[in-house]
Amino acid sequence: MKKLFELHQKITFVGNEYRVLKDRAAGPKLAGYAKQKRLAIREKFTLFSDDAQTEIIAQSQARSIMDFGATYDVLDNQGKPLAVVKKQFKKSIISSTWTISKPISNKLLFTVYEKSLPIAIARRLWNFIPFIGEFLPFPLRFHFTVSDANGKIVGEYEKITIVRDHYALHLDEKAIPKLDKRAWMITTVLLDALQSR
């Protein structure tokens, strides 16, 4: 599998910040930057080429204000649809599950789900522990598995740190061309930002 990029989250007073980093010989390079606004009525993410926020490269928009099985349209900088990302509400009660489909046709491309069912359940129980669940991060790293439309495992989205939210996305070479990399960047931001919902 090939590592496409890493996603690093930073918690700030005004909202979470996300940096997409790509490997290169001279060291990691910033390939995308997004912010999450707190208390937004309708969740929206704009992915910029850098933290100066001068150039938009992709964006996502929730289709509705309140939707437990939230659906997000991922668009390029010209507003052209790149993908549809949807949280599967019933499956996500036990193990967070997302689907990524083609726009318009809604043809399934990938399913992303928590790799370990026991850890998924433990992570949910952790939130019910008084005080501890509210203030301390879940101590075990959790990972996501990426499968294609036929159910074949083609990638992993893994947490690479314990305390901070740093992740790495790995995909099989043959799976990479099936989805625009900008859509993957937005999807990984959604996986972190909406994980507890």
Side-chain angles (χ1 to χ4, degrees), residues 40-44 61-73 85-86 194 197:
I41 296 175
R42 180 178 294 187
E43 201 71 74
K44 178 181 180 180
Q61 176 72 61
R63 288 187 179 176
S64 61
I65 296 174
M66 286 294 292
D67 185 2
F68 292 111
T71 302
Y72 296 85
D73 292 300
V85 180
K86 181 175 176 61
L194 308 178
R197 301 187 186 183

Side-chain angles (χ1 to χ4, degrees), residues 110-180:
F110 300 101
T111 302
V112 184
Y113 53 93
E114 287 187 77
K115 184 176 181 179
S116 170
L117 183 59
I119 289 180
I121 294 172
R123 192 168 61 80
R124 283 153 177 76
L125 294 176
W126 180 266
N127 292 328
F128 290 103
I129 301 174
F131 303 109
I132 293 177
E134 293 179 38
F135 300 107
L136 293 178
F138 183 66
L140 301 177
R141 287 185 288 183
F142 56 93
H143 309 297
F144 286 87
T145 297
V146 181
S147 65
D148 64 14
N150 298 315
K152 178 184 176 183
I153 294 175
V154 295
E156 283 195 348
Y157 183 56
E158 58 180 354
K159 191 173 185 200
I160 55 177
T161 55
I162 294 176
V163 178
R164 294 186 176 184
D165 283 350
H166 291 184
Y167 304 88
L169 175 65
H170 295 83
L171 287 176
D172 284 346
E173 296 275 0
K174 292 182 178 179
I176 294 173
K178 293 182 179 180
L179 184 67
D180 191 295

